[in-house]
Amino acid sequence: METDKGVVLATERYGSAESWKYVSKDGVMERRRDGSEGHSGGNSVFGVFKSVFLPQGYPESVSDDYLQYQFWDTMQAFSSSLSGTLATQASLRGVGVGNQEATVAAATVTWLLKDGTGMLGRILFAWQKGSKLDSEAKKWRLFADVLNDIAMFMEILAPYFPACFTFIVCTAGIFKSIVGVAGGATRAALTVHQARRDNMADISAKDGSQETLVNLAGLLVSLILIPLVTDNPVLTLCLFFLFTVLHLFANYKAVRSVVMETFNEARLSIVLQQYLKDKRILSPPEANQREPVFFEMVCCLPPMQRKAACLHTWKVIFKPPVFLAGCVCVCLGPEASVSDEIRAMCQAVVLGNMLSSSNSREATGAAPKQQSEPLPLSMFNCLNVKNCKTSSFLFRRSLGNGAQESQADGCHFQSIT
């Protein structure tokens, strides 16, 4: 390609970054900024915005669901910032700000108790639930935001119950510490999902910039709201409920927009159930849309009495299978691969369906149904064709006494090391 300024040898561009041309003129090669599109990404307002708040190389360097998730995450952060302002004002009033009878020592003790109980809650929650935050990132993300709204609501009500003020704010502090652990950990898991070029640090940094901008906007709006809500509890509660509804709706839309390509227990179970139904493999978007994002009670399978005789017809790849009351239990050796784990759960889900349907027929007096064939190995090849990452399986693991365990929809997995 020849121009009046020389011959263009190559054009260099990385995602949303500036475009550069290598031009040869009079035997000398020069590197020039490309302005052929009418404006340079670095000189335009939009280009500056992208370079400041979006990861380098956007959109190629992030997942397809990045923009939609960040939009709803921004909405929820803005509404949460406004709700937090109302809660902070109530907490300060409760500890005695503006009250001549309140003492500095009493306010300090209350604040220290609140922070201390929050620290203990953070440690205990990370100890008990830390291993589950990777596999159930969507559920824990939504759970954290719901708990955060509950904590802020308690802080707003606390000044109206002075006898129980310390207890209420300490409880709210524990809830907020749980929110900090669950929210931070799940955000890290989502960052791993969004990074497509090993750019997790860049995505995390730009997410922090986006959150800072949103908090700054919330701060400016809060300066307008504070004079309106001071000494007006009715307006405070009305605005809080309005912001809470927006916050929860935005959070729900945010977690629903995430399309994970890795399997966890829920997504693999959904894919298997659909395959057993009509031999169709769901794509990652389809499986994610069916995945529940709220915690629910998991019912174990009925007791497996008088069912062991029919199990020899199933090719369970881990021998011998172990059965506990109400669970299909599979033991995995230390050399078991991710593919082995997925196949084990496939067989466990099939066995669970067979036993559950058999118990249902016994209860209704229906005739026994002919057993179907086990899942073919070609199913795993179909999963890869559907862009499902069968090399990554997010079991909920907890280490203890040299073993790794996981409870999966009535299926108990144990890896003995």
Side-chain angles (χ1 to χ4, degrees):
M1 178 179 178
E2 296 186 2
T3 66
D4 55 347
K5 297 182 179 180
V7 180
V8 178
L9 301 177
T11 301
E12 177 186 15
R13 185 176 182 180
Y14 179 68
S16 61
E18 296 176 324
S19 179
W20 296 83
K21 287 186 177 180
Y22 292 87
V23 180
S24 175
K25 184 177 181 180
D26 299 331
V28 179
M29 186 174 66
E30 300 178 356
R31 184 173 182 261
R32 303 174 183 174
R33 181 178 287 108
D34 184 14
S36 61
E37 298 179 358
H39 62 274
S40 173
N43 296 330
S44 66
V45 175
F46 183 64
V48 172
F49 178 85
K50 291 174 66 175
S51 62
V52 173
F53 295 104
L54 294 177
Q56 176 74 16
Y58 172 87
E60 291 85 359
S61 61
V62 295
S63 59
D64 295 336
D65 55 12
Y66 177 83
L67 186 60
Q68 186 177 4
Y69 174 82
Q70 292 301 124
F71 171 78
W72 290 113
D73 187 57
T74 300
M75 293 293 295
Q76 69 86 17
F78 179 74
S79 56
S80 179
S81 177
L82 298 179
S83 299
T85 299
L86 300 177
T88 301
Q89 184 193 36
S91 296
L92 293 175
R93 188 189 314 119
V95 297
V97 175
N99 185 359
Q100 296 180 353
E101 298 179 357
T103 63
V104 176
T108 303
V109 170
T110 301
W111 211 262
L112 291 176
L113 288 175
K114 174 186 176 182
D115 290 344
T117 53
M119 293 175 186
L120 292 176
R122 178 186 296 269
I123 295 173
L124 293 176
F125 178 78
W127 170 45
Q128 290 292 325
K129 301 296 182 180
S131 61
K132 299 178 175 62
L133 300 179
D134 277 316
S135 60
E136 302 291 348
K138 294 182 182 180
K139 290 183 178 180
W140 284 108
R141 181 74 177 179
L142 192 57
F143 170 81
D145 288 297
V146 172
L147 194 62
N148 187 47
D149 289 333
I150 295 175
M152 289 189 291
F153 181 63
M154 295 175 63
E155 290 179 342
I156 291 176
L157 294 182
Y160 302 101
F161 301 92
C164 303
F165 177 80
T166 302
F167 174 77
I168 294 176
V169 295
C170 287
T171 304
I174 295 175
F175 288 172
K176 284 194 171 184
S177 67
I178 295 175
V179 171
V181 175
T186 53
R187 182 55 192 151
L190 294 176
T191 301
V192 173
H193 158 70
Q194 292 173 340
R196 287 295 184 263
R197 292 179 177 173
D198 294 329
N199 55 340
M200 290 181 292
D202 185 27
I203 291 178
S204 180
K206 296 303 172 60
D207 181 70
S209 298
Q210 297 169 21
E211 186 174 355
T212 301
L213 179 64
V214 172
N215 290 334
L216 179 60
L219 177 62
L220 297 177
V221 176
S222 299
L223 293 176
I224 301 175
L225 290 180
I226 291 300
L228 300 178
V229 300
T230 302
D231 299 327
N232 193 339
V234 176
L235 181 59
T236 299
L237 290 176
C238 290
L239 289 176
F240 175 77
F241 283 120
L242 175 64
F243 296 147
T244 299
V245 170
L246 176 61
H247 180 238
L248 295 179
F249 175 75
N251 268 292
Y252 177 79
K253 296 293 289 185
V255 296
R256 273 300 180 197
S257 66
V258 177
V259 180
M260 294 283 198
E261 294 93 355
T262 54
F263 281 123
N264 64 358
E265 298 163 10
R267 288 189 289 273
L268 181 59
S269 179
I270 291 170
V271 172
L272 293 177
Q273 297 290 350
Q274 185 66 40
Y275 183 83
L276 292 174
K277 181 179 180 181
D278 57 10
K279 305 300 180 182
R280 183 170 67 93
I281 301 295
L282 296 177
S283 64
E286 292 175 322
N288 279 267
Q289 284 300 313
R290 299 187 186 185
E291 180 187 7
V293 294
F294 295 100
F295 285 105
E296 55 189 8
M297 297 299 294
V298 180
C299 298
C300 289
L301 298 176
M304 300 182 180
Q305 299 176 357
R306 304 183 305 277
K307 305 300 179 184
C310 64
L311 297 181
H312 67 277
T313 60
W314 294 88
K315 298 178 181 179
V316 182
I317 61 177
F318 300 102
K319 300 178 181 180
V322 182
F323 297 95
L324 302 177
C327 294
V328 178
C329 186
V330 179
C331 293
L332 303 176
E335 71 283 353
S337 64
V338 174
S339 178
D340 295 332
E341 294 183 29
I342 297 178
R343 293 183 181 182
M345 186 171 180
C346 290
Q347 298 293 345
V349 171
V350 173
L351 289 173
N353 285 345
M354 181 187 69
L355 297 172
S356 179
S357 59
S358 177
N359 287 337
S360 299
R361 287 192 298 270
E362 286 185 359
T364 58
K369 184 179 179 181
Q370 184 68 26
Q371 298 176 3
S372 59
E373 293 297 326
L375 293 173
L377 296 180
S378 60
M379 174 184 175
F380 302 100
N381 297 328
C382 294
L383 291 176
N384 289 319
V385 171
K386 287 288 185 176
N387 296 323
C388 300
K389 294 183 179 178
T390 53
S391 60
S392 301
F393 191 30
L394 298 177
F395 261 147
R396 293 182 294 179
R397 296 185 179 276
S398 59
L399 299 178
N401 298 328
Q404 295 180 345
E405 300 182 357
S406 175
Q407 189 72 24
D409 297 331
C411 310
H412 184 80
F413 290 77
Q414 185 174 27
S415 178
I416 301 175
T417 57

